[in-house]
Amino acid sequence: MKTPESHIIVIFGASGDLTKRKLIPALYQLYINHLLPDNFAILGTSRTSLTDQEFRVRISEFLPLSDESNSLFLNNIYYQTIDYELNDDYAKLKWRLDELRLKHNILANYLFYLSTPPDLYDVIPEKLAFANLNFQTDGFKRIIIEKPFGNSLQSAKKLNISLLKNYEENQIYRIDHYLGKETVQNLMVTRFANGIFEPIWNRNFIGRVEITSAESLGVEGRGGYYDHSGAMRDMVQNHILQMVGLVAMEPPVVIDADAIRHEVLKVFQSLRPIKPEDIPKQVIRGQYTTSKIKGVSVAGYREEQGVDPASHTETYVAMKFFIDNWRWAGVPFFIRTGKKLPTRVTEIVIEFKPTPHHLFEKSAFHINQANQLIIRIQPDEGILLKFAMKEPGAGFKVNQVNMDFHYSDLAEVLLPSAYERLLLDCLFGDATLYSRGDTVEAAWEFIQPILDSWSNEPAIPIYGYPAGTWGPHESDGLIEGETNWRFPCKNLADDGLYCEL
C-alpha cells in the first residue's frame, strides 16, 4: 500500500487532551497498519516543561499496553518546550527539526498541527514563517488548524488574511473531523455512483432534507468555553453546513479537492438569507433545563460550572432554510443540533415526495408514509431505506419496512477513524475533506445575521427544554404538514415517536 514521503509531524498544544485522546491514537493506528513511512518522527510542543521520556510516558497510557509496536512507535516521538510568543523558541524548534531529520534520515517535509486555543491560530503560523518554516523549496510545509475557524464572519476573514500573508491556500488545512467519517464520504458515492439515486436527487422527487446531530452529554466541565460559543458556532457553522454542502452539491467534474470544494462553495452561495423578521420563525434556539433522566437529577445548563446564571447561550438550534438554485428550489432543509438530547446520533434524512394518489389503506403506517433514505454518520454507521410493502393476508394493507446496511457487517474491512483518514490525507497533500477559506467565509455569511439578531434583539426567545428530551416543542412548528422530525435511536433501524436511551 502506498505511504507518504518521510516527514515530521509537529503537534502544537501536545500536552492537551486532543493530542492524547485523538491524534496520538490515530497516528499509532496508521503506524501499525503500515500507512506511515519507515522514516518519520512526531514532535510534540507546548508550554509545559517535559523531557522526551516524560512525554512518552504521558501518552503511552492511550496506547495498547501489551502491543510490541508500542515501544517502537514511541521511539519516534519527541518533545520540545516552547513559548508560542517567542521568536527565539521557533529558531530552537527549527534546529530540533534539523536534528531529527538527520537522526531519522527524513526529508524536510513538515506537518504542523495546531491543537491549541484559537487565539494562537494566527500567532504560530506567523512565528513559523519568521523562522523560514513556511517555504516549500526543500519539502512540503502544511498547517492543520482545528475548529473553530473564527467566531464570527469578521474574525474568520481576518484569520484568512493573516494566514495567506505567509502561506499558499494549498498549505492550509482547516480540519472538520465530521468530514473524515466514512459515512460522510460515502454520501458522495451513494449519490454519484448509483443510477437509482442521482436522477431523483432534486426538487421533483425530494420533499425535504433533514439533518440531526444530537448529543446526550451536556457541556461536561466546558461551561466557561461553551458559554462564549453555543450550538450555532460549535456545530451549525461548520459540521452541519458542511454536510448540507455534500448533500446539495452538484456532481463535480472529477473527484478532486478543488472540484468538490468548488461545488460546496456554490451551495453556500445559494443559501437563501433568512430575513431578520423571519429569524424567530425559522430559527429556534433552546437551552436545557433541570430534569430527571432514568431517575437521576440532571442540572440545567445555567447551573453548570462556568456558565452565567443568566446565560442566553443556546444549547439547541433547529432551523428551516432554502437553497435557491435549479436543483433545490422550494425544497425545505431542516437541521437541528443540541446537547442533553435523548441519544448521541448524527444522521441525514432524505425524504421523498409521496405518490400522487393513495390507492392503498394507510392506517398501518408507523409514523411517516413517505419513503426515506437515512444516512447514519454515527453511531451504528450505515444506510437505511424506508419504503412501503403489503402486509401478509387479505386486502392491501400497507406497512413501512426497512432495508438497511451497517458498516459493522464489514468485519474484515479496516474502518479508519476520522482523524486517521484526515491526517493521512494531509500527508498525501489531499485537501478534499478539508474546508477551504472561501467556503468557511461563505458559511459564516449565512450564519452571522442570525447571531447578530440574537445579540441585538433580546426579545427573541430562547426556549427551555428538559434535559433528556428532543428539544423545545416549538421546533416542531418548523415542519409543516402531517409529518414531524424523525426521532432516531442508537441503533439505525430502530425509531419511533420517542427514543430515550
Side-chain angles (χ1 to χ4, degrees):
M1 187 177 291
K2 184 181 176 183
T3 58
E5 293 182 330
S6 62
H7 61 265
I8 301 176
I9 299 174
V10 182
I11 302 175
F12 291 91
S15 60
D17 281 348
L18 180 66
T19 300
K20 292 181 287 187
R21 291 186 298 103
K22 297 292 185 180
L23 302 183
I24 293 297
L27 290 168
Y28 178 74
Q29 289 298 318
L30 292 176
Y31 173 74
I32 63 173
N33 287 300
H34 308 292
L35 295 173
L36 292 181
D38 293 335
N39 299 38
F40 78 96
I42 300 168
L43 178 61
T45 73
S46 75
R47 292 190 175 102
T48 306
S49 180
L50 295 170
T51 65
D52 291 344
Q53 189 56 36
E54 287 170 337
F55 182 58
R56 291 169 181 172
V57 169
R58 279 195 176 197
I59 63 175
S60 63
E61 62 182 285
F62 293 87
L63 302 178
L65 293 176
S66 59
D67 198 313
E68 293 181 5
S69 300
N70 192 328
S71 59
L72 295 174
F73 176 70
L74 288 173
N75 287 339
N76 291 325
I77 295 181
Y78 302 87
Y79 186 84
Q80 177 90 12
T81 304
I82 192 171
D83 185 323
Y84 300 123
E85 307 284 347
L86 291 181
N87 290 336
D88 287 349
D89 278 12
Y90 289 84
K92 294 176 184 175
L93 174 65
K94 188 174 188 298
W95 179 86
R96 187 74 188 277
L97 291 172
D98 289 338
E99 181 186 57
L100 292 176
R101 282 183 56 206
L102 291 173
K103 180 177 181 178
H104 290 276
N105 191 26
I106 296 174
L107 299 173
N109 295 322
Y110 302 143
L111 170 57
F112 302 106
Y113 198 113
L114 274 57
S115 177
T116 64
D119 58 0
L120 293 170
Y121 289 172
D122 56 348
V123 174
I124 293 173
E126 185 176 332
K127 299 295 184 182
L128 288 170
F130 178 83
N132 295 323
L133 286 169
N134 60 329
F135 296 125
Q136 301 196 92
T137 52
D138 55 350
F140 69 71
K141 311 293 185 294
R142 298 171 186 149
I143 297 176
I144 295 182
I145 298 177
E146 272 283 345
K147 80 172 187 75
F149 194 86
N151 58 14
S152 65
L153 174 59
Q154 182 181 3
S155 61
K157 286 183 173 180
K158 182 180 177 182
L159 181 53
N160 272 332
I161 291 170
S162 174
L163 291 170
L164 291 171
K165 283 192 302 184
N166 299 304
Y167 301 86
E168 300 294 329
E169 176 63 38
N170 62 17
Q171 293 179 266
I172 305 167
Y173 290 71
R174 301 165 188 84
I175 193 168
D176 184 338
H177 69 271
Y178 266 56
L179 297 186
K181 295 181 183 295
E182 195 69 29
T183 33
V184 173
Q185 300 157 44
N186 197 43
L187 174 59
M188 287 190 288
V189 177
T190 301
R191 282 192 58 187
F192 302 132
N194 294 293
I196 61 173
F197 290 128
E198 179 52 31
I200 61 174
W201 207 270
N202 56 57
R203 59 186 167 82
N204 296 318
F205 298 95
I206 293 177
R208 80 181 199 216
V209 176
E210 179 184 317
I211 299 178
T212 294
S213 184
E215 297 180 65
S216 58
L217 298 176
V219 293
E220 305 303 306
R222 297 168 64 242
Y225 160 78
Y226 194 87
D227 209 35
H228 293 89
S229 174
M232 185 69 83
R233 289 182 173 93
D234 191 48
M235 292 294 297
V236 177
Q237 185 275 331
N238 39 70
H239 301 325
I240 294 181
L241 283 186
Q242 287 294 333
M243 288 190 282
V244 169
L246 293 178
V247 169
M249 66 186 278
E250 294 297 317
V253 176
V254 292
I255 296 299
D256 164 84
D258 280 338
I260 291 171
R261 297 194 295 181
H262 283 328
E263 299 303 335
V264 172
L265 175 61
K266 290 179 187 177
V267 173
F268 291 172
Q269 292 172 332
S270 302
L271 292 170
R272 182 191 300 174
I274 301 176
K275 298 176 181 177
E277 61 269 25
D278 292 333
I279 288 174
K281 294 178 287 186
Q282 286 186 233
V283 186
I284 302 298
R285 59 176 176 166
Q287 197 179 83
Y288 65 83
T289 58
T290 305
S291 180
K292 283 191 174 182
I293 299 177
K294 297 180 180 178
V296 178
S297 294
V298 176
Y301 175 70
R302 294 182 181 180
E303 287 82 52
E304 297 277 14
Q305 183 179 357
V307 173
D308 183 349
S311 173
H312 273 64
T313 298
E314 74 287 355
T315 63
Y316 175 95
V317 173
M319 186 189 307
K320 175 184 179 179
F321 61 89
F322 295 88
I323 298 174
D324 288 334
N325 62 19
W326 193 270
R327 182 181 292 265
W328 296 107
V331 178
F333 280 68
F334 299 94
I335 61 174
R336 61 176 173 171
T337 183
K339 292 187 174 295
K340 284 294 183 189
L341 300 184
T343 190
R344 170 182 172 265
V345 61
T346 300
E347 66 178 23
I348 299 163
V349 180
I350 309 297
E351 183 169 299
F352 297 95
K353 291 182 177 179
T355 53
H357 179 49
H358 300 298
L359 291 171
F360 308 108
E361 184 180 347
K362 61 181 180 179
S363 59
F365 273 59
H366 292 313
I367 313 159
N368 191 332
Q369 55 184 308
N371 301 138
Q372 291 182 331
L373 176 68
I374 296 136
I375 300 162
R376 175 64 68 88
I377 310 302
Q378 65 181 15
D380 194 21
E381 294 87 346
I383 295 176
L384 172 66
L385 180 64
K386 303 179 82 70
F387 58 99
M389 290 288 288
K390 176 186 176 297
E391 286 188 357
F396 287 93
K397 185 174 287 188
V398 177
N399 212 332
Q400 199 173 57
V401 297
N402 294 337
M403 182 182 294
D404 54 298
F405 159 76
H406 302 256
Y407 270 91
S408 57
D409 295 339
L410 302 176
E412 303 302 319
V413 177
L414 174 66
L415 191 63
S417 72
Y419 278 99
E420 288 174 53
R421 172 65 191 272
L422 291 170
L423 285 165
L424 190 60
D425 280 357
C426 185
L427 291 170
F428 278 121
D430 182 354
T432 303
L433 301 176
Y434 287 85
S435 301
R436 202 169 59 191
D438 52 0
T439 308
V440 171
E441 291 183 16
W444 272 117
E445 285 174 0
F446 177 66
I447 295 299
Q448 192 63 51
I450 302 171
L451 294 172
D452 290 344
S453 286
W454 287 351
S455 177
N456 299 329
E457 298 181 35
I460 296 178
I462 180 165
Y463 301 100
Y465 63 96
T469 65
W470 277 109
H473 67 84
E474 285 81 4
S475 63
D476 296 340
L478 293 176
I479 297 182
E480 303 165 354
E482 299 178 2
T483 64
N484 207 326
W485 296 95
R486 170 178 145 86
F487 295 105
C489 296
K490 179 180 179 181
N491 298 317
L492 172 61
D494 294 336
D495 54 14
L497 288 171
Y498 192 88
C499 192
E500 183 177 52
L501 302 178

